[in-house]
Amino acid sequence: MSKFKHQAFNVLYSIFAIFSCVAMGKIFASFAPFLPSSLYGLIIFTLTLHIRFFDADRIKSSVVWGLKHMGVCFVPAGVGIMNHFELIRQFGVTIVMITFVTTFIL
């Protein structure tokens, strides 16, 4: 198998593994709505990797790529902060203190 075909297969394998776990998480959440479906999906994904239902070596490169480009997901939040800069300037210290206190409480 050529290198390109091998990489393409690994990407498709990764997509199947991740989306099947997300789908199972949605099903679990509909029957037991104690946790968000995404959290159920992460738990299922972790368990399937631990019991070696999915091959972690095939999924690793896709997960590393996703983590490497995760910052793109947070750009809209940064833009939102800049749009409300006056509120941040007025209540910034309070927001930071609430964040620290609630983080330690939880």
Side-chain angles (χ1 to χ4, degrees), residues 58-96:
R58 287 187 176 167
I59 295 173
K60 183 180 179 180
S61 62
S62 295
V63 170
V64 168
W65 180 87
L67 289 173
K68 185 177 175 183
H69 294 90
M70 189 179 281
V72 174
C73 298
F74 297 106
V75 169
V79 171
I81 289 171
M82 294 314 295
N83 285 339
H84 300 287
F85 187 70
E86 289 301 317
L87 288 173
I88 300 296
R89 186 170 21 172
Q90 186 177 358
F91 300 108
V93 174
T94 306
I95 293 170
V96 170

Side-chain angles (χ1 to χ4, degrees), residues 3 9 18-20 26 32 63 72 77 82 92 97 100 103:
K3 185 176 180 178
F9 178 76
I18 293 167
F19 281 118
S20 63
K26 293 231 181 245
V63 170
V72 174
M82 294 314 295
M97 289 183 65
F100 278 112
T103 299

Side-chain angles (χ1 to χ4, degrees), residues 32-74:
F34 307 113
L35 297 172
S37 61
S38 58
L39 190 54
Y40 280 123
L42 280 172
I43 292 168
I44 294 167
F45 186 63
T46 302
L47 290 174
T48 58
L49 289 174
H50 278 290
I51 63 172
R52 299 179 195 273
F53 185 78
F54 291 120
D55 185 7
D57 291 331
R58 287 187 176 167
I59 295 173
K60 183 180 179 180
S61 62
S62 295
V63 170
V64 168
W65 180 87
L67 289 173
K68 185 177 175 183
H69 294 90
M70 189 179 281
V72 174
C73 298
F74 297 106

